[in-house]
Amino acid sequence: MIARIDTEIAVIGASLGGVLAAWQAAQQGRRVLLAAEYAWLGGQLTSQGVPPDEHPLIESGGASASYMAMRTALRAHYLAQPGFRDNTAMTEGCNPGDGWVSRLCVEPAVAAEYIEQLLAPHIASGRMRILRGVRLCSAQRAGRTIVSATVIDGEGLRTDIHAPWFLDGTDTGALIKAAGLPYRLGKEARSEFGEPDAPETADRNDQQPVTVVMALRREASASAAAAEAPPGYAFWSRYLVPHYGYAQFSEYIPGSGRGQAVRLPLFGSGATLDLWRYRRVVSAANWQPPRSEVSLVNWAQNDYALHPLLDGGMDEADVVAAARELSLCLLHWLRTEAPRPDGGAGYPELALAPDVLATPDGLAQQVYVRESRRIIGLACLSQADILPGGATATPGSDADSHNVGVAWYNMDIHPTVVSGHGVNARVRPFELPLGSFIPADCNNLIPACKNISVTHLVNACTRVHPAEWLIGEVAGLLAVFALGCGQPLAAIHGSAELRAAFRQQLRAAGIPLEWDRALLARLPDIQH
């Protein structure tokens, strides 16, 4: 027997964007169903175990009002805890973990609880329903319209979800594929968009690597005797990173250009950048009495780049399993062979911290996904739209009237799984066009995560927390607007009047539609 649910807006996938899409739609009074696969809602912020990757202006703006409110609330949570002392040294602002990759290194459980509280009023009112522990297994489409999506739980119970609007809130663009819609994946050829850093030949398999994050706690002494090495350890302990030449298990990471490498010590002090404090979420100096430190290991050393996650001939579950083993192999190396400054080897005081990620083994509930299937939209954001020194839309112009949000992050591409191409290049703050949210081949699907219409290169900039959060909000509000006006997405895109009305709704919901010029003026070295 198959259960059936009817709703106004169905969000398939509880990624960070998916959650915010559902929240914004419910905020506007619409009935929403959110299908969630993992115990924690919120994708990369929670179940994937990745503290926020943010741009340099985030303390002052360049994100939606609700994102800024989340940052304030998480800091307030820590400041209210008995024993917490803000002794942040690595970044500006109160940084609970005092990690240096983010100004807001927080424990994933704290972020997960915030999301639950954010959604709670809408669940209580009946506007939002969450199906937990379900994954998408199929979608049914009639011509250009998705009729229903079917999810399945751990016991095999299937539920058909019917709605006039479907939002793909998965980290992989799973609904796009299930509905049989065309999509982009991996690298486009240079000839398609004229991107300087694109390859001569397109390759769908040349995707960014995935990572299974692990939570490590550093104790005062050895936590336990070293366990037997995982089965893959002999391979990974000898593996050299292609095009870079250094060992996967080492103190080296890719630099800003292809083939360039940077050495980071495992443990550092003062202003020295090190691996341990990279994504540290518990800093001993911020607690009295001091707590044992915890770091979320999402390093180049456990990036799994042997096979693509999506559509590469290897089942996704098998890729994830291989990535999990890589992380466990890295742990064994850290505990037994990692070089110490005193000439010794290994840090046996490092141990998995299952409580931090709410899993039995201390590995994240979900693999960290950097790259998704992406819709083929009415517009596609390419490298030319984000290069420093590029032309920006004149306020009030036709191009400006299509903007529906802001984004900014380096073009951060980890060495990809086929070519090994990696780069971390500067880009300018940029805007997201409405057309990147509208599929060319479907009437009632809206991307709500890393799956908007952008190229592989631009995806490296829009995949991070503030951008995905905003993308989700725009997607939810677009579905609400389309329900209200009764017009197709293409008609909204093509009508100056409808676009203006939608943009007004975005502003009212706290979505910045363009970068504040005064804010950008604080960074004179950024060409914008």
Side-chain angles (χ1 to χ4, degrees):
M1 182 176 178
I2 300 179
R4 174 174 172 140
I5 295 176
D6 289 88
T7 189
E8 289 183 304
I9 298 172
V11 182
I12 308 300
S15 65
L16 192 58
V19 165
L20 269 297
W23 175 73
Q24 272 290 13
Q27 282 278 98
Q28 309 302 316
R30 293 297 186 173
R31 291 185 297 110
V32 183
L33 182 132
L34 177 63
E37 183 172 356
Y38 300 95
W40 282 347
L41 310 177
Q44 59 178 323
L45 183 62
T46 58
S47 60
Q48 296 175 30
V50 182
D53 291 309
E54 300 171 327
H55 59 74
L57 291 171
I58 194 64
E59 292 295 318
S60 303
S64 71
S66 63
Y67 186 87
M68 301 300 283
M70 175 272 292
R71 300 180 86 253
T72 299
L74 294 184
R75 283 173 167 166
H77 165 85
Y78 279 94
L79 291 169
Q81 300 306 304
F84 181 80
R85 305 289 185 270
D86 179 20
N87 291 313
T88 297
M90 298 295 290
T91 65
E92 61 183 320
C94 172
N95 191 342
D98 201 15
W100 57 266
V101 73
S102 170
R103 296 162 180 78
L104 193 65
C105 286
V106 299
E107 295 159 282
V110 175
E113 178 57 27
Y114 176 82
I115 286 175
E116 293 289 346
Q117 293 175 4
L118 186 71
L119 302 184
H122 301 304
I123 296 171
S125 70
R127 286 189 297 272
M128 181 182 297
R129 179 176 178 180
I130 302 178
L131 286 184
R132 297 180 185 261
V134 299
R135 60 178 176 81
L136 177 69
C137 58
S138 65
Q140 296 71 47
R141 181 162 60 93
R144 292 176 54 91
T145 302
I146 297 176
V147 176
S148 65
T150 303
V151 297
I152 186 169
D153 66 14
E155 297 181 352
L157 175 64
R158 294 174 182 262
T159 302
D160 282 346
I161 302 167
H162 292 253
W165 287 97
F166 286 87
L167 276 57
D168 190 338
T170 68
D171 284 276
T172 61
L175 181 57
I176 298 170
K177 181 178 181 179
L181 297 172
Y183 53 85
R184 292 188 173 90
L185 179 62
K187 296 186 178 181
E188 295 84 4
R190 186 178 306 164
S191 59
E192 187 169 359
F193 294 98
E195 296 178 304
D197 287 317
E200 290 294 335
T201 304
D203 191 338
R204 291 168 70 88
N205 287 336
D206 204 9
Q207 303 163 27
Q208 289 225 46
V210 297
T211 306
V212 173
V213 176
M214 58 181 171
L216 295 187
R217 182 172 281 117
R218 192 182 190 192
E219 305 289 4
S221 58
S223 59
E228 184 177 346
Y233 187 73
F235 172 83
W236 285 113
S237 62
R238 296 192 300 266
Y239 185 74
L240 301 181
V241 178
H243 305 295
Y244 293 85
Y246 61 80
Q248 178 96 10
F249 293 168
S250 68
E251 294 181 324
Y252 288 90
I253 65 171
S256 58
R258 184 172 182 176
Q260 297 177 349
V262 175
R263 179 184 174 272
L264 298 180
L266 290 171
F267 296 96
S269 61
T272 300
L273 301 183
D274 62 326
L275 290 169
W276 178 255
R277 292 181 295 170
Y278 181 56
R279 294 188 186 273
R280 182 177 58 181
V281 292
V282 177
S283 169
N286 278 352
W287 294 91
Q288 189 60 42
R291 291 173 58 186
S292 296
E293 293 203 336
V294 175
S295 189
L296 295 173
V297 178
N298 173 22
W299 305 344
Q301 287 79 353
N302 61 331
D303 278 357
Y304 181 79
L306 295 188
H307 298 94
L309 178 68
L310 304 175
D311 302 352
M314 186 172 174
D315 189 81
E316 286 183 33
D318 293 334
V319 175
V320 173
R324 288 174 60 85
E325 183 180 63
L326 169 58
S327 289
L328 293 174
C329 288
L330 173 60
L331 172 62
H332 187 79
W333 180 81
L334 289 170
R335 287 175 52 85
T336 62
E337 293 193 54
R340 299 180 67 103
D342 60 9
Y347 292 85
E349 64 269 30
L350 296 177
L352 288 164
D355 56 302
V356 174
L357 291 169
T359 58
D361 57 9
L363 273 63
Q365 299 171 21
Q366 180 185 7
V367 68
Y368 176 36
V369 181
R370 294 182 177 88
E371 183 170 350
S372 175
R373 302 175 182 94
R374 306 179 292 276
I375 67 162
I376 295 177
L378 298 185
C380 183
L381 209 61
S382 71
Q383 188 181 13
D385 299 307
I386 65 172
L387 284 173
T392 57
T394 303
S397 68
D398 182 66
D400 175 69
S401 74
H402 284 81
N403 293 338
V404 293
V406 300
W408 186 29
Y409 195 72
N410 273 6
M411 195 170 70
D412 181 14
I413 299 177
H414 294 220
T416 50
V417 302
V418 176
S419 66
H421 172 72
V423 65
N424 194 324
R426 290 175 58 184
V427 306
R428 64 178 177 83
F430 58 94
E431 287 82 24
L432 303 175
L434 175 59
S436 64
F437 288 80
I438 301 178
D441 301 281
C442 186
N443 294 334
N444 67 332
L445 179 138
I446 302 173
C449 190
K450 303 174 183 73
N451 46 8
I452 61 171
S453 182
V454 296
T455 65
H456 166 86
L457 295 175
V458 176
N459 168 79
C461 311
T462 56
R463 65 181 175 84
V464 293
H465 300 66
E468 186 186 326
W469 182 291
L470 182 146
I471 286 168
E473 291 188 271
V474 172
L477 289 166
L478 181 56
V480 168
F481 185 81
L483 274 171
C485 73
Q487 294 295 314
L489 294 179
I492 297 171
H493 180 265
S495 165
E497 182 179 354
L498 290 175
R499 285 199 314 273
F502 176 54
R503 280 161 50 88
Q504 182 56 40
Q505 183 173 324
L506 292 175
R507 288 192 188 94
I511 308 295
L513 304 185
E514 57 278 317
W515 280 92
D516 180 87
R517 301 283 170 164
L519 186 62
L520 294 180
R522 300 183 187 183
L523 293 176
D525 60 324
I526 296 294
Q527 297 177 358
H528 52 77

